[in-house]
Amino acid sequence: MGLLTIDLGMGDQLDILKINRDLINTLRKADKITDENIVMNETCRYWFGDDSIEWRGQLSVNLSRMATLINILPIKIQYTHIHNRLSTRNACVLMRPTDYIDYTQDLPPLGFLTATHAQLSVVPLSPISLDSGWSTLQLLPHCEYLDSKFKTIAHELTHILLGTYDLTYGIMPCLNLGMRNPYTAKNNADNWAYFISELYFL
């Protein structure tokens, strides 16, 4: 199924189609995370404060499963209602306390693999709502500037599929969080999104 656009303009529909393909291809590189690679070890340590083989193994499994879930679940992408838009926000997912589920770890996703399309269509996933800042972003991450539409969708998908929270935003705050508090960094959506953006370049 993948990312389903709801009433988006043609340009945004095309952007989401490309992001869907590139994001899945990026997440499929997850097996490289467990390689003894200096660059990969440093990237894990920068964003999560942990480059242990145990963490890299868990990270690899989570990202690989995330790619599978994006492929099989109906994840809707729409515009934020005009009265609720904020110029400082790129996108959002309105999550209730009961929505924070790590679908890569918990039992329900196992049934997703054998579910029919009709059954999958009623999985209660919150939609991603694009906001005013979306149109100001470059499409894909650049080695000197990681913030992008790609990174924004990755960020929102970690809320939906991994149950991450918004604890801090931005490159420097996320790097500082990784150094100071690895446990918290591993639960912060932007740390995941920046890591996935760096994985894009491998």
Side-chain angles (χ1 to χ4, degrees), residues 59-83:
L59 190 56
S60 176
V61 169
N62 283 1
L63 294 177
S64 180
R65 289 179 178 172
M66 194 172 162
T68 299
L69 292 171
I70 293 168
N71 260 334
I72 65 176
L73 290 175
I75 301 168
K76 297 175 182 176
I77 300 185
Q78 61 193 22
Y79 290 127
T80 301
H81 190 279
I82 194 163
H83 295 300

PDB file of all heavy atoms in Angstrom, residues 59-83:
ATOM      1  N   LEU A  59      18.606  -1.671  15.903  1.00  0.00           N
ATOM      2  CA  LEU A  59      18.323  -0.596  14.950  1.00  0.00           C
ATOM      3  C   LEU A  59      18.104  -1.160  13.551  1.00  0.00           C
ATOM      4  O   LEU A  59      17.180  -0.778  12.836  1.00  0.00           O
ATOM      5  CB  LEU A  59      19.502   0.386  14.961  1.00  0.00           C
ATOM      6  CG  LEU A  59      19.390   1.710  14.250  1.00  0.00           C
ATOM      7  CD1 LEU A  59      18.196   2.510  14.741  1.00  0.00           C
ATOM      8  CD2 LEU A  59      20.685   2.501  14.455  1.00  0.00           C
ATOM      9  N   SER A  60      18.938  -2.108  13.175  1.00  0.00           N
ATOM     10  CA  SER A  60      18.829  -2.737  11.853  1.00  0.00           C
ATOM     11  C   SER A  60      17.483  -3.443  11.692  1.00  0.00           C
ATOM     12  O   SER A  60      16.804  -3.297  10.668  1.00  0.00           O
ATOM     13  CB  SER A  60      19.978  -3.734  11.671  1.00  0.00           C
ATOM     14  OG  SER A  60      19.863  -4.420  10.448  1.00  0.00           O
ATOM     15  N   VAL A  61      17.088  -4.187  12.717  1.00  0.00           N
ATOM     16  CA  VAL A  61      15.808  -4.906  12.677  1.00  0.00           C
ATOM     17  C   VAL A  61      14.644  -3.918  12.605  1.00  0.00           C
ATOM     18  O   VAL A  61      13.718  -4.082  11.801  1.00  0.00           O
ATOM     19  CB  VAL A  61      15.665  -5.829  13.910  1.00  0.00           C
ATOM     20  CG1 VAL A  61      14.247  -6.356  14.027  1.00  0.00           C
ATOM     21  CG2 VAL A  61      16.653  -6.988  13.808  1.00  0.00           C
ATOM     22  N   ASN A  62      14.683  -2.874  13.430  1.00  0.00           N
ATOM     23  CA  ASN A  62      13.584  -1.898  13.457  1.00  0.00           C
ATOM     24  C   ASN A  62      13.406  -1.212  12.106  1.00  0.00           C
ATOM     25  O   ASN A  62      12.281  -1.048  11.626  1.00  0.00           O
ATOM     26  CB  ASN A  62      13.838  -0.835  14.529  1.00  0.00           C
ATOM     27  CG  ASN A  62      13.558  -1.332  15.935  1.00  0.00           C
ATOM     28  OD1 ASN A  62      13.181  -2.481  16.128  1.00  0.00           O
ATOM     29  ND2 ASN A  62      13.741  -0.486  16.911  1.00  0.00           N
ATOM     30  N   LEU A  63      14.505  -0.792  11.486  1.00  0.00           N
ATOM     31  CA  LEU A  63      14.413  -0.083  10.211  1.00  0.00           C
ATOM     32  C   LEU A  63      13.955  -1.003   9.084  1.00  0.00           C
ATOM     33  O   LEU A  63      13.180  -0.602   8.214  1.00  0.00           O
ATOM     34  CB  LEU A  63      15.750   0.570   9.872  1.00  0.00           C
ATOM     35  CG  LEU A  63      16.171   1.701  10.819  1.00  0.00           C
ATOM     36  CD1 LEU A  63      17.552   2.228  10.431  1.00  0.00           C
ATOM     37  CD2 LEU A  63      15.160   2.821  10.844  1.00  0.00           C
ATOM     38  N   SER A  64      14.425  -2.241   9.105  1.00  0.00           N
ATOM     39  CA  SER A  64      13.996  -3.204   8.088  1.00  0.00           C
ATOM     40  C   SER A  64      12.498  -3.485   8.204  1.00  0.00           C
ATOM     41  O   SER A  64      11.773  -3.520   7.205  1.00  0.00           O
ATOM     42  CB  SER A  64      14.795  -4.503   8.237  1.00  0.00           C
ATOM     43  OG  SER A  64      14.393  -5.441   7.281  1.00  0.00           O
ATOM     44  N   ARG A  65      12.017  -3.653   9.436  1.00  0.00           N
ATOM     45  CA  ARG A  65      10.589  -3.887   9.651  1.00  0.00           C
ATOM     46  C   ARG A  65       9.774  -2.650   9.296  1.00  0.00           C
ATOM     47  O   ARG A  65       8.647  -2.756   8.805  1.00  0.00           O
ATOM     48  CB  ARG A  65      10.338  -4.303  11.096  1.00  0.00           C
ATOM     49  CG  ARG A  65      10.838  -5.702  11.416  1.00  0.00           C
ATOM     50  CD  ARG A  65      10.584  -6.070  12.853  1.00  0.00           C
ATOM     51  NE  ARG A  65      11.032  -7.428  13.136  1.00  0.00           N
ATOM     52  CZ  ARG A  65      11.080  -7.960  14.352  1.00  0.00           C
ATOM     53  NH1 ARG A  65      10.695  -7.237  15.395  1.00  0.00           N
ATOM     54  NH2 ARG A  65      11.499  -9.183  14.542  1.00  0.00           N
ATOM     55  N   MET A  66      10.337  -1.484   9.561  1.00  0.00           N
ATOM     56  CA  MET A  66       9.662  -0.237   9.219  1.00  0.00           C
ATOM     57  C   MET A  66       9.417  -0.170   7.712  1.00  0.00           C
ATOM     58  O   MET A  66       8.337   0.225   7.263  1.00  0.00           O
ATOM     59  CB  MET A  66      10.534   0.941   9.688  1.00  0.00           C
ATOM     60  CG  MET A  66       9.854   2.279   9.704  1.00  0.00           C
ATOM     61  SD  MET A  66      10.951   3.500  10.503  1.00  0.00           S
ATOM     62  CE  MET A  66      10.180   4.997   9.885  1.00  0.00           C
ATOM     63  N   ALA A  67      10.411  -0.578   6.920  1.00  0.00           N
ATOM     64  CA  ALA A  67      10.252  -0.597   5.458  1.00  0.00           C
ATOM     65  C   ALA A  67       9.111  -1.519   5.057  1.00  0.00           C
ATOM     66  O   ALA A  67       8.292  -1.183   4.191  1.00  0.00           O
ATOM     67  CB  ALA A  67      11.556  -1.039   4.791  1.00  0.00           C
ATOM     68  N   THR A  68       9.038  -2.682   5.690  1.00  0.00           N
ATOM     69  CA  THR A  68       7.965  -3.631   5.386  1.00  0.00           C
ATOM     70  C   THR A  68       6.605  -3.042   5.741  1.00  0.00           C
ATOM     71  O   THR A  68       5.651  -3.144   4.957  1.00  0.00           O
ATOM     72  CB  THR A  68       8.181  -4.947   6.165  1.00  0.00           C
ATOM     73  OG1 THR A  68       9.424  -5.525   5.765  1.00  0.00           O
ATOM     74  CG2 THR A  68       7.055  -5.933   5.908  1.00  0.00           C
ATOM     75  N   LEU A  69       6.514  -2.399   6.907  1.00  0.00           N
ATOM     76  CA  LEU A  69       5.236  -1.827   7.337  1.00  0.00           C
ATOM     77  C   LEU A  69       4.784  -0.699   6.420  1.00  0.00           C
ATOM     78  O   LEU A  69       3.591  -0.566   6.138  1.00  0.00           O
ATOM     79  CB  LEU A  69       5.341  -1.347   8.784  1.00  0.00           C
ATOM     80  CG  LEU A  69       5.496  -2.455   9.835  1.00  0.00           C
ATOM     81  CD1 LEU A  69       5.807  -1.859  11.202  1.00  0.00           C
ATOM     82  CD2 LEU A  69       4.263  -3.342   9.898  1.00  0.00           C
ATOM     83  N   ILE A  70       5.733   0.111   5.939  1.00  0.00           N
ATOM     84  CA  ILE A  70       5.376   1.170   4.987  1.00  0.00           C
ATOM     85  C   ILE A  70       4.795   0.556   3.720  1.00  0.00           C
ATOM     86  O   ILE A  70       3.851   1.074   3.129  1.00  0.00           O
ATOM     87  CB  ILE A  70       6.599   2.053   4.657  1.00  0.00           C
ATOM     88  CG1 ILE A  70       7.020   2.851   5.897  1.00  0.00           C
ATOM     89  CG2 ILE A  70       6.294   3.004   3.498  1.00  0.00           C
ATOM     90  CD1 ILE A  70       8.373   3.531   5.759  1.00  0.00           C
ATOM     91  N   ASN A  71       5.348  -0.572   3.308  1.00  0.00           N
ATOM     92  CA  ASN A  71       4.873  -1.251   2.094  1.00  0.00           C
ATOM     93  C   ASN A  71       3.472  -1.818   2.233  1.00  0.00           C
ATOM     94  O   ASN A  71       2.716  -1.846   1.264  1.00  0.00           O
ATOM     95  CB  ASN A  71       5.826  -2.400   1.730  1.00  0.00           C
ATOM     96  CG  ASN A  71       6.774  -2.024   0.629  1.00  0.00           C
ATOM     97  OD1 ASN A  71       6.489  -1.161  -0.198  1.00  0.00           O
ATOM     98  ND2 ASN A  71       7.926  -2.671   0.603  1.00  0.00           N
ATOM     99  N   ILE A  72       3.113  -2.283   3.422  1.00  0.00           N
ATOM    100  CA  ILE A  72       1.862  -3.034   3.537  1.00  0.00           C
ATOM    101  C   ILE A  72       0.728  -2.282   4.229  1.00  0.00           C
ATOM    102  O   ILE A  72      -0.432  -2.687   4.121  1.00  0.00           O
ATOM    103  CB  ILE A  72       2.076  -4.389   4.257  1.00  0.00           C
ATOM    104  CG1 ILE A  72       2.511  -4.175   5.707  1.00  0.00           C
ATOM    105  CG2 ILE A  72       3.076  -5.245   3.492  1.00  0.00           C
ATOM    106  CD1 ILE A  72       2.643  -5.467   6.493  1.00  0.00           C
ATOM    107  N   LEU A  73       1.055  -1.190   4.945  1.00  0.00           N
ATOM    108  CA  LEU A  73       0.011  -0.466   5.671  1.00  0.00           C
ATOM    109  C   LEU A  73      -0.472   0.760   4.892  1.00  0.00           C
ATOM    110  O   LEU A  73       0.310   1.398   4.192  1.00  0.00           O
ATOM    111  CB  LEU A  73       0.528  -0.015   7.044  1.00  0.00           C
ATOM    112  CG  LEU A  73       0.765  -1.118   8.060  1.00  0.00           C
ATOM    113  CD1 LEU A  73       1.382  -0.532   9.328  1.00  0.00           C
ATOM    114  CD2 LEU A  73      -0.526  -1.850   8.399  1.00  0.00           C
ATOM    115  N   PRO A  74      -1.750   1.117   5.030  1.00  0.00           N
ATOM    116  CA  PRO A  74      -2.268   2.325   4.381  1.00  0.00           C
ATOM    117  C   PRO A  74      -1.960   3.554   5.240  1.00  0.00           C
ATOM    118  O   PRO A  74      -2.635   3.822   6.227  1.00  0.00           O
ATOM    119  CB  PRO A  74      -3.779   2.060   4.314  1.00  0.00           C
ATOM    120  CG  PRO A  74      -4.048   1.185   5.506  1.00  0.00           C
ATOM    121  CD  PRO A  74      -2.802   0.359   5.733  1.00  0.00           C
ATOM    122  N   ILE A  75      -0.914   4.294   4.894  1.00  0.00           N
ATOM    123  CA  ILE A  75      -0.508   5.468   5.651  1.00  0.00           C
ATOM    124  C   ILE A  75      -0.915   6.712   4.864  1.00  0.00           C
ATOM    125  O   ILE A  75      -0.364   6.994   3.801  1.00  0.00           O
ATOM    126  CB  ILE A  75       1.007   5.455   5.923  1.00  0.00           C
ATOM    127  CG1 ILE A  75       1.372   4.187   6.707  1.00  0.00           C
ATOM    128  CG2 ILE A  75       1.430   6.709   6.690  1.00  0.00           C
ATOM    129  CD1 ILE A  75       2.851   3.912   6.799  1.00  0.00           C
ATOM    130  N   LYS A  76      -1.895   7.430   5.367  1.00  0.00           N
ATOM    131  CA  LYS A  76      -2.466   8.558   4.635  1.00  0.00           C
ATOM    132  C   LYS A  76      -1.658   9.839   4.861  1.00  0.00           C
ATOM    133  O   LYS A  76      -1.206  10.108   5.974  1.00  0.00           O
ATOM    134  CB  LYS A  76      -3.916   8.780   5.058  1.00  0.00           C
ATOM    135  CG  LYS A  76      -4.815   7.600   4.736  1.00  0.00           C
ATOM    136  CD  LYS A  76      -6.220   7.806   5.277  1.00  0.00           C
ATOM    137  CE  LYS A  76      -7.085   6.581   4.988  1.00  0.00           C
ATOM    138  NZ  LYS A  76      -8.419   6.710   5.589  1.00  0.00           N
ATOM    139  N   ILE A  77      -1.520  10.620   3.780  1.00  0.00           N
ATOM    140  CA  ILE A  77      -0.856  11.923   3.858  1.00  0.00           C
ATOM    141  C   ILE A  77      -1.807  12.962   3.277  1.00  0.00           C
ATOM    142  O   ILE A  77      -2.303  12.806   2.158  1.00  0.00           O
ATOM    143  CB  ILE A  77       0.486  11.918   3.108  1.00  0.00           C
ATOM    144  CG1 ILE A  77       1.408  10.856   3.722  1.00  0.00           C
ATOM    145  CG2 ILE A  77       1.123  13.305   3.164  1.00  0.00           C
ATOM    146  CD1 ILE A  77       2.794  10.832   3.155  1.00  0.00           C
ATOM    147  N   GLN A  78      -2.062  13.996   4.045  1.00  0.00           N
ATOM    148  CA  GLN A  78      -3.037  15.014   3.671  1.00  0.00           C
ATOM    149  C   GLN A  78      -2.488  16.384   4.067  1.00  0.00           C
ATOM    150  O   GLN A  78      -1.434  16.479   4.687  1.00  0.00           O
ATOM    151  CB  GLN A  78      -4.355  14.750   4.401  1.00  0.00           C
ATOM    152  CG  GLN A  78      -4.196  14.813   5.928  1.00  0.00           C
ATOM    153  CD  GLN A  78      -5.368  14.259   6.702  1.00  0.00           C
ATOM    154  OE1 GLN A  78      -6.148  13.473   6.198  1.00  0.00           O
ATOM    155  NE2 GLN A  78      -5.488  14.669   7.953  1.00  0.00           N
ATOM    156  N   TYR A  79      -3.209  17.435   3.705  1.00  0.00           N
ATOM    157  CA  TYR A  79      -2.852  18.777   4.161  1.00  0.00           C
ATOM    158  C   TYR A  79      -3.487  19.037   5.524  1.00  0.00           C
ATOM    159  O   TYR A  79      -4.602  18.572   5.806  1.00  0.00           O
ATOM    160  CB  TYR A  79      -3.355  19.844   3.185  1.00  0.00           C
ATOM    161  CG  TYR A  79      -2.635  19.878   1.855  1.00  0.00           C
ATOM    162  CD1 TYR A  79      -3.350  19.820   0.667  1.00  0.00           C
ATOM    163  CD2 TYR A  79      -1.244  19.977   1.787  1.00  0.00           C
ATOM    164  CE1 TYR A  79      -2.701  19.863  -0.568  1.00  0.00           C
ATOM    165  CE2 TYR A  79      -0.591  20.021   0.566  1.00  0.00           C
ATOM    166  CZ  TYR A  79      -1.314  19.966  -0.613  1.00  0.00           C
ATOM    167  OH  TYR A  79      -0.675  20.004  -1.817  1.00  0.00           O
ATOM    168  N   THR A  80      -2.794  19.807   6.367  1.00  0.00           N
ATOM    169  CA  THR A  80      -3.389  20.306   7.600  1.00  0.00           C
ATOM    170  C   THR A  80      -4.511  21.269   7.232  1.00  0.00           C
ATOM    171  O   THR A  80      -4.383  22.038   6.279  1.00  0.00           O
ATOM    172  CB  THR A  80      -2.329  21.049   8.439  1.00  0.00           C
ATOM    173  OG1 THR A  80      -1.260  20.150   8.725  1.00  0.00           O
ATOM    174  CG2 THR A  80      -2.911  21.578   9.742  1.00  0.00           C
ATOM    175  N   HIS A  81      -5.619  21.229   7.970  1.00  0.00           N
ATOM    176  CA  HIS A  81      -6.722  22.167   7.713  1.00  0.00           C
ATOM    177  C   HIS A  81      -6.185  23.587   7.788  1.00  0.00           C
ATOM    178  O   HIS A  81      -5.385  23.936   8.661  1.00  0.00           O
ATOM    179  CB  HIS A  81      -7.842  21.961   8.735  1.00  0.00           C
ATOM    180  CG  HIS A  81      -9.091  22.703   8.392  1.00  0.00           C
ATOM    181  ND1 HIS A  81      -9.243  24.049   8.667  1.00  0.00           N
ATOM    182  CD2 HIS A  81     -10.239  22.302   7.784  1.00  0.00           C
ATOM    183  CE1 HIS A  81     -10.433  24.440   8.247  1.00  0.00           C
ATOM    184  NE2 HIS A  81     -11.058  23.400   7.702  1.00  0.00           N
ATOM    185  N   ILE A  82      -6.634  24.430   6.887  1.00  0.00           N
ATOM    186  CA  ILE A  82      -6.085  25.781   6.753  1.00  0.00           C
ATOM    187  C   ILE A  82      -6.154  26.582   8.045  1.00  0.00           C
ATOM    188  O   ILE A  82      -5.269  27.395   8.335  1.00  0.00           O
ATOM    189  CB  ILE A  82      -6.784  26.532   5.592  1.00  0.00           C
ATOM    190  CG1 ILE A  82      -5.995  27.792   5.238  1.00  0.00           C
ATOM    191  CG2 ILE A  82      -8.247  26.835   5.931  1.00  0.00           C
ATOM    192  CD1 ILE A  82      -6.352  28.371   3.899  1.00  0.00           C
ATOM    193  N   HIS A  83      -7.156  26.351   8.879  1.00  0.00           N
ATOM    194  CA  HIS A  83      -7.296  27.102  10.128  1.00  0.00           C
ATOM    195  C   HIS A  83      -6.326  26.620  11.208  1.00  0.00           C
ATOM    196  O   HIS A  83      -6.148  27.303  12.222  1.00  0.00           O
ATOM    197  CB  HIS A  83      -8.731  27.021  10.652  1.00  0.00           C
ATOM    198  CG  HIS A  83      -9.731  27.674   9.752  1.00  0.00           C
ATOM    199  ND1 HIS A  83      -9.679  29.007   9.417  1.00  0.00           N
ATOM    200  CD2 HIS A  83     -10.801  27.171   9.082  1.00  0.00           C
ATOM    201  CE1 HIS A  83     -10.665  29.309   8.599  1.00  0.00           C
ATOM    202  NE2 HIS A  83     -11.369  28.205   8.376  1.00  0.00           N
TER     203      HIS A  83
END
